[in-house]
Amino acid sequence: MNFSKTLTNWYSIYKRDLPWRNTKNPYNVWLSEIILQQTQINQGLPYYLAFIDEYPTVFDLANANETEVLKLWQGLGYYSRARNLHTTANFIVNEFDGKFPKTYKELLQLKGVGDYTASAIASICYDEPTAVVDGNVYRVLARFFGIDTPINSTRGIKEFKALATSLIDKKNPGDYNQAIMEFGARQCKPKNPDCTVCPLKGSCYALHHSKIETLPLKLKKTKVSTKYFNFLVFISADKRTLFQKRTGNGIWKNLYQFPLVETKSELTPEQFKNSPKVASILKGIAFEFSLYNTTDIVHKLSHQHLHTKFWIVEVNSLPEKGILYRDLQNYPTPVLINNFIDEFKFPI
DNA sequence: AATTCGGGGTG
DNA sequence: CACCCAGAATT
């Protein structure tokens, strides 16, 4: 039996029953694909269910405001996905009367939809034979065919896309695409795959050349930078604190946080209190200053380690209009901030 | 072509 | 700790 047929047969037996697999509705499929970008199914599934529950159609999603969408996305990471999701929902409603485009080429025009996602939607919803190439596909193809071109090189990206395209089952491209991904996730796992029960063990290059551990090949590791974050948590008699929307194009865009003072290095409490930035924020205000966490909370992201201090600033009146403690939960925040709010327990 | 975007899971 | 995840957008 050939490679593709073996995969689709395996899939028909071992596939998980997932909600987006019971429909060809492009809204549902699109939503699932955006949520699952760089995200494992177990992490994304509850978000998919919550989004379908809150926004059953593209019109419901378009009618929401971005803050609400980000709030429902909170904790999933890569928040540009949520912002683009909302933008594209409005685009679909306003430009296409709520109907999704039906071809790979047109889908590619949507914000947040790249080669992978356009291929997935086109094949699953409209039976267009466009091959998906995600992390699972790279692994399965690299191992089975013995390809050592780096998967994150321009050459590798083209090579694997072409190979995947040549293998796709044109009669049932959606099932084939999902089959090879599911196979990569469940059978041809990154670490310690059980090749003894693999239906492809007979012809797998990596298995017969002891290259399961070394394929696929990936170049360069991401370097991690360290940053020092100081959040000012205002406590006032009127049960309000300062909470600000992050602007600019960096991390956590449009999420909310306590006033942030970033420093180049770790400062002593005295150095921090006397720094110009802190002084300007607290200019002319009577306050009591205390450090909530005596050792830094280190929030680890894939490319940044955030060494974080939460400073409690007790004031009689806030320097500007704040929000009620009890309203903090209505704002989308990074996990780092949300963890603090949960732990600190504001006297609501 | 390289970097930047999160957070959770695995070994 | 290193690596991975149904990648895309930006620089």
Side-chain angles (χ1 to χ4, degrees), chain A residues 41-88:
Chain A
I41 285 175
N42 287 340
Q43 187 186 3
L45 178 56
Y47 286 84
Y48 173 83
L49 296 173
F51 267 83
I52 289 298
D53 187 54
E54 188 71 26
Y55 311 120
T57 71
V58 70
F59 297 98
D60 301 311
L61 180 56
N63 280 336
N65 63 51
E66 187 189 87
T67 298
E68 291 167 346
V69 175
L70 284 170
K71 182 62 188 178
L72 204 55
W73 197 272
Q74 179 177 302
L76 198 55
Y78 285 169
Y79 296 94
S80 67
R81 292 184 292 170
R83 299 191 302 267
N84 288 334
L85 190 79
H86 184 236
T87 299
T88 291

Side-chain angles (χ1 to χ4, degrees), chain A residues 31-183:
Chain A
L31 176 62
S32 74
E33 295 298 346
I34 301 298
I35 287 175
L36 293 175
Q37 288 168 3
Q38 290 295 286
T39 303
Q40 300 196 150
I41 285 175
N42 287 340
Q43 187 186 3
L45 178 56
Y47 286 84
Y48 173 83
L49 296 173
F51 267 83
I52 289 298
D53 187 54
E54 188 71 26
Y55 311 120
T57 71
V58 70
F59 297 98
D60 301 311
L61 180 56
N63 280 336
N65 63 51
E66 187 189 87
T67 298
E68 291 167 346
V69 175
L70 284 170
K71 182 62 188 178
L72 204 55
W73 197 272
Q74 179 177 302
L76 198 55
Y78 285 169
Y79 296 94
S80 67
R81 292 184 292 170
R83 299 191 302 267
N84 288 334
L85 190 79
H86 184 236
T87 299
T88 291
N90 277 285
F91 183 72
I92 298 277
V93 166
N94 295 328
E95 302 297 326
F96 299 146
D97 195 27
K99 296 181 177 61
F100 276 76
K102 298 186 176 183
T103 66
Y104 165 83
K105 188 177 177 183
E106 294 170 297
L107 287 161
L108 211 45
Q109 305 303 313
L110 304 176
K111 272 192 180 177
V113 175
D115 182 82
Y116 164 80
T117 304
S119 300
I121 299 172
S123 63
I124 294 170
C125 300
Y126 305 111
D127 295 310
E128 186 176 342
T130 47
V132 297
V133 184
D134 74 334
N136 295 303
V137 176
Y138 280 122
R139 187 168 54 255
V140 174
L141 296 182
R143 285 176 174 169
F144 184 81
F145 293 99
I147 301 169
D148 59 4
T149 312
I151 62 173
N152 56 346
S153 65
T154 302
R155 199 160 61 87
I157 292 169
K158 286 180 62 177
E159 185 175 346
F160 281 94
K161 177 74 178 184
L163 176 56
T165 300
S166 76
L167 294 166
I168 198 166
D169 177 356
K170 295 189 176 182
K171 290 285 197 320
N172 213 336
D175 269 359
Y176 170 76
N177 275 337
Q178 295 190 78
I180 189 171
M181 290 190 285
E182 185 84 336
F183 185 80

Side-chain angles (χ1 to χ4, degrees), chain A residues 179-252:
Chain A
I180 189 171
M181 290 190 285
E182 185 84 336
F183 185 80
R186 312 252 301 168
Q187 170 64 41
C188 196
K189 298 183 296 182
K191 301 287 185 187
N192 306 324
D194 185 0
C195 299
T196 64
V197 299
C198 179
L200 291 172
K201 62 182 176 183
S203 321
C204 178
Y205 180 95
L207 178 59
H208 298 297
H209 295 79
S210 301
K211 295 203 170 183
I212 292 292
E213 310 289 332
T214 56
L215 291 176
L217 183 60
K218 198 172 185 176
L219 291 178
K220 60 183 176 273
K221 354 253 173 214
T222 58
K223 54 172 181 284
V224 178
S225 64
T226 298
K227 293 186 173 178
Y228 298 89
F229 280 5
N230 295 273
F231 290 107
L232 300 181
V233 182
F234 284 82
I235 300 295
S236 68
D238 58 359
K239 296 185 184 301
R240 289 176 184 272
T241 188
L242 297 187
F243 219 40
Q244 306 171 338
K245 191 174 189 172
R246 286 182 68 93
T247 57
N249 273 326
I251 189 176
W252 299 331

